[in-house]
Amino acid sequence: MDLHQLWTILATPDNVPIVLLALAVPFYTWYGLRQSFANDRLIAQLEADPALARTHHRKTQPWRPEWDREVHVWPYLLRIEFLAALIVTVILLVWSILLNAPLEEPANPNLTMNPSKAPWYFVGLQEMLVYFDPWLAGVVIPFLIIVGLMAIPYIDTNPLGSGYYTFKQRKAAILTFLFGFLGLWLTMIFIGVFVRGPGWMWFWPGATWDHNRLVFEVNRDLPFGALFLAAYTAAAAWAIHKLITLTPFHRKIHARMSRFQYLVMQFFLILMLALPLKILLRQLFRIKYLLVTPWFNI
Amino acid sequence: MSLSAKLARLLKSARKTQVAKSVLRVKHEDTPRARSLGVLSNVFLHLHPAKINRDAVAYNYTWGMGGMTFYVYLVLVFTGALLMFYYHPSKVVAYRDILYLENDVPFGKLLRNMHRWGAHLMVIMVQLHMFRVFLTGSYKKPREFNWVVGVILLVLTLLLSFTGYLLPDDQLGFWAVTVGTNMARATPLLGNEGPFGPQLGMTPYNDVRFGLLGGSIVDSNALLRAYIWHCIAIPILASLFMIVHFWRVRKDGGISGPAPVMLESEIPQPREP
Ligand code: HEM
């Protein structure tokens, strides 16, 4: 265990924000889900008791009939905004006093940094370069992430859970988002930042970065890759369809979708599931390409 | 008469002068009407409604994330403008300017640190803001489009951060931007190493990467381009989209909640086609 190496990575100034992220994301996941579960309990209670549902104020927040539904922005919101601005300023000031921004040697095209890493928020995409050619990892995947995010409001036809935290009423949507955000995006960033060393080789946290390490990996292409891809697409589409029509409630949501909405959703979900699949194929079976054509490889 | 009472009286009579009235326009007294007018007649505050959902002011619903992202953006614009006083976007000079800032300019180091860590903070906060908007289902009708505007803001935030990375012209920025823009080589159709790129006549000297860098390597033109994108183009775009974003929050009916929970039995029947 090389604690010094671990510390060097963690304390690299530009990695400090990721340490912060590693604390903030679990906290807010817990904070959001806790409120979701509280609302879910309320929902269960109201569903069991229609009479109560008719009279209940339907929030977990404290409530009294004589309270106004709305409060004045001045002072009730503005004072909080002012306080938030103060706190953020203090945090930023203290952070900037304690930790200096990095400045390396002047740029030198003849002296390659090893490893040379993108800024942390792009390191996840850089990590995808291990599994995909640059046109996929650097161009197509980011493009699809952006378009996929933009499509969310137009393919989520579930009318429940608008404006309040809930898990029970939006299981599929929330699990998908958690999978994409935590399971793919942030996981890839953490691997790229904390695990990848010189030559973009895999060094477990705490292992010494050995600049002379060589790895002889013979990667091979999958035979009958086109068949495999077709089979995967069919299997994934079938599994996704089963999942989103599992319960009567989910069938009801599904019935509200147009054919086009359904196809777009399938398209993005199939591609999203393909990422971990390709990663596993590479890590476990040393598969480089699934599909080889004269113009591009996948 | 005590001093504080005297001061209070002085303040009160000062508010009655023509000058004060012309500046404030509305009476500042503790009535609901004055409170509303105070917000509505102020150009900086009027993005707010006069009143909002009582539960929305608590921290636990929005986490204040969108607001804090915006605040950090303002801090970045401010510190960035100050940094521009000391920075020349040309090779050799740029790196020296950073050294000068770090070692000779009063508070220069603090200024640079605040700009650097503020940028990281903004990238973290914008992701958390998106996370909360998702968890509260706030992208649902009628807020679909504002979510799209948000995604554009997310991309612009990342690009702002990325273009700034090159500006110190050190090894860190140089190689990060080299790695990043090398991917542009592989753009389908538009990159010289991308699928169908060569067939369309793409070379290292005319493809999309060349356009981004103003050359075939990361050099002085790339520095100048990064500078212009970072200090002019993207901030203008981001500001425009933020204006739209805030305007739409209001027009879509204000903040989405905390709304009363809806039950499954209350889902309206879809209209027959
Ligand atoms: C520079 C980036 C951004 C800024 C400064 C910003 C700012 C804000 C602010 C101040 C609000 C008011 C409520 C709140 O504080 O949560 C808001 C609401 C909202 N934002 Fe953003 N935002 C940004 C990026 C995003 C992103 C990346 C998304 C989603 C992809 C998004 C989607 C929304 C939506 C849908 C609302 C309405 C939420 C509601 O009514 O509850 N925004 N934004």
Side-chain angles (χ1 to χ4, degrees):
Chain A
M1 189 75 176
D2 185 350
L3 287 179
H4 180 72
Q5 178 74 62
L6 191 64
W7 175 248
T8 313
I9 299 174
L10 286 178
T12 301
D14 267 351
N15 288 351
V16 170
I18 317 171
V19 178
L20 199 74
L21 195 73
L23 299 173
V25 169
F27 170 76
Y28 280 108
T29 310
W30 167 81
Y31 195 47
L33 287 181
R34 194 180 67 139
Q35 295 182 64
S36 305
F37 296 141
N39 275 335
D40 289 349
R41 283 192 293 276
L42 174 67
I43 289 165
Q45 197 188 355
L46 296 181
E47 271 171 347
D49 187 349
L52 181 68
R54 243 170 280 129
T55 55
H56 198 277
H57 71 286
R58 295 192 172 206
K59 292 188 193 182
T60 46
Q61 278 84 359
W63 178 82
R64 292 234 198 94
E66 70 271 18
W67 282 353
D68 289 331
R69 274 184 46 235
E70 298 194 315
V71 292
H72 277 285
V73 160
W74 170 259
Y76 299 105
L77 179 60
L78 288 177
R79 69 178 179 196
I80 288 184
E81 290 181 345
F82 181 65
L83 197 65
L86 271 185
I87 292 172
V88 172
T89 311
V90 169
I91 290 175
L92 193 55
L93 261 176
V94 171
W95 186 357
S96 303
I97 290 168
L98 294 182
L99 190 69
N100 282 328
L103 185 68
E104 300 275 336
E105 301 287 301
N108 183 352
N110 300 318
L111 189 70
T112 316
M113 295 254 285
N114 188 13
S116 46
K117 293 191 180 183
W120 62 266
Y121 37 85
F122 287 147
V123 158
L125 297 173
Q126 201 180 355
E127 171 67 12
M128 297 314 282
L129 279 173
V130 176
Y131 314 103
F132 297 97
D133 279 356
W135 67 278
L136 279 170
V139 186
V140 175
I141 292 177
F143 177 75
L144 287 176
I145 294 175
I146 295 168
V147 178
L149 280 174
M150 287 181 174
I152 289 174
Y154 302 101
I155 52 182
D156 182 354
T157 52
N158 180 356
L160 297 183
S162 171
Y164 54 92
Y165 290 93
T166 169
F167 177 69
K168 202 180 90 176
Q169 295 183 331
R170 299 175 58 213
K171 270 188 200 139
I174 288 184
L175 289 177
T176 310
F177 194 83
L178 289 181
F179 169 66
F181 183 51
L182 306 180
L184 291 175
W185 177 250
L186 293 179
T187 306
M188 289 301 132
I189 289 178
F190 280 105
I191 291 177
V193 170
F194 294 122
V195 180
R196 293 299 180 174
W200 210 258
M201 278 186 277
W202 189 284
F203 290 90
W204 287 105
T208 312
W209 278 11
D210 175 1
H211 282 260
N212 298 316
R213 187 166 105 179
L214 291 175
V215 177
F216 291 102
E217 275 180 4
V218 184
N219 290 325
R220 53 200 168 192
D221 300 336
L222 193 70
F224 305 111
L227 269 181
F228 177 84
L229 273 182
Y232 161 73
T233 308
W238 179 81
I240 292 166
H241 185 85
K242 279 284 155 204
L243 269 178
I244 62 166
T245 53
L246 201 59
T247 64
F249 171 64
H250 283 98
R251 283 195 285 279
K252 205 150 60 169
I253 304 305
H254 175 239
R256 298 168 68 90
M257 278 188 152
S258 72
R259 171 82 35 98
F260 183 62
Q261 284 173 316
Y262 177 78
L263 287 178
V264 173
M265 185 198 66
Q266 278 278 15
F267 174 77
F268 282 112
L269 288 181
I270 290 171
L271 286 178
M272 209 163 136
L273 286 176
L275 297 187
L277 181 74
K278 177 84 197 270
I279 292 172
L280 282 180
L281 282 177
R282 163 60 63 81
Q283 298 284 14
L284 297 180
F285 304 111
R286 307 252 155 268
I287 300 292
K288 187 162 172 62
Y289 292 125
L290 301 180
L291 188 67
V292 179
T293 75
W295 312 278
F296 59 87
N297 307 316
I298 292 177
Chain B
M1 212 186 327
S2 73
L3 190 65
S4 63
K6 266 189 198 156
L7 270 178
R9 234 183 52 190
L10 197 68
L11 214 67
K12 210 169 167 192
S13 52
R15 278 207 208 123
K16 292 216 177 89
T17 60
Q18 189 182 0
V19 176
K21 275 190 195 156
S22 74
V23 174
L24 298 172
R25 289 198 60 235
V26 289
K27 280 198 191 128
H28 280 224
E29 41 195 32
D30 195 10
T31 62
R33 187 183 134 79
R35 283 180 178 182
S36 305
L37 282 179
V39 171
L40 297 180
S41 63
N42 181 311
V43 65
F44 300 109
L45 299 182
H46 90 285
L47 272 176
H48 293 101
K51 283 182 152 195
I52 58 162
N53 183 343
R54 80 172 306 123
D55 299 318
V57 291
Y59 182 78
N60 60 14
Y61 185 68
T62 66
W63 312 341
M65 260 328 151
M68 290 196 290
T69 310
F70 181 56
Y71 177 70
V72 174
Y73 178 71
L74 292 181
V75 172
L76 286 169
V77 170
F78 182 70
T79 52
L82 291 182
L83 286 172
M84 284 174 80
F85 280 110
Y86 295 97
Y87 179 85
H88 305 76
S90 57
K91 274 285 185 191
V92 186
V93 187
Y95 187 79
R96 253 192 260 154
D97 286 339
I98 305 291
L99 289 180
Y100 180 57
L101 256 166
E102 295 241 304
N103 299 309
D104 292 312
V105 176
F107 298 106
K109 196 171 220 159
L110 182 68
L111 191 63
R112 174 162 185 250
N113 290 349
M114 279 183 78
H115 197 70
R116 180 75 161 216
W117 304 135
H120 282 295
L121 203 59
M122 185 170 167
V123 174
I124 293 177
M125 283 177 165
V126 72
Q127 295 184 40
L128 291 175
H129 171 57
M130 180 167 90
F131 190 32
R132 118 50 209 163
V133 170
F134 190 90
L135 286 181
T136 55
S138 300
Y139 57 80
K140 298 189 178 198
K141 235 183 239 171
R143 296 181 177 80
E144 301 99 317
F145 182 68
N146 215 15
W147 169 272
V148 175
V149 174
V151 176
I152 294 171
L153 282 172
L154 172 76
V155 174
L156 289 176
T157 306
L158 295 179
L159 288 180
L160 262 178
S161 226
F162 186 64
T163 49
Y165 220 67
L166 183 65
L167 298 185
D169 198 29
D170 64 345
Q171 282 285 72
L172 203 61
F174 177 83
W175 286 103
V177 171
T178 302
V179 169
T181 50
N182 273 350
M183 296 200 202
R185 258 204 268 263
T187 312
L189 310 179
L190 298 178
N192 75 79
E193 286 172 8
F196 308 109
Q199 287 89 336
L200 288 173
M202 290 298 155
T203 70
Y205 305 101
N206 67 0
D207 69 350
V208 58
R209 179 169 173 278
F210 189 92
L212 289 174
L213 296 179
S216 58
I217 52 167
V218 179
D219 204 17
S220 52
N221 281 353
L223 191 60
L224 185 60
R225 283 188 190 201
Y227 178 76
I228 293 171
W229 282 110
H230 184 75
C231 302
I232 300 176
I234 307 179
I236 290 179
L237 283 176
S239 304
L240 281 177
F241 278 101
M242 278 184 210
I243 293 172
V244 176
H245 196 58
F246 301 156
W247 173 252
R248 286 301 295 248
V249 171
R250 284 293 303 279
K251 289 289 140 181
D252 293 341
I255 203 76
S256 59
V261 299
M262 191 171 145
L263 305 183
E264 195 186 320
S265 54
E266 295 160 351
I267 297 180
Q269 284 306 308
R271 265 177 282 129
E272 291 301 322

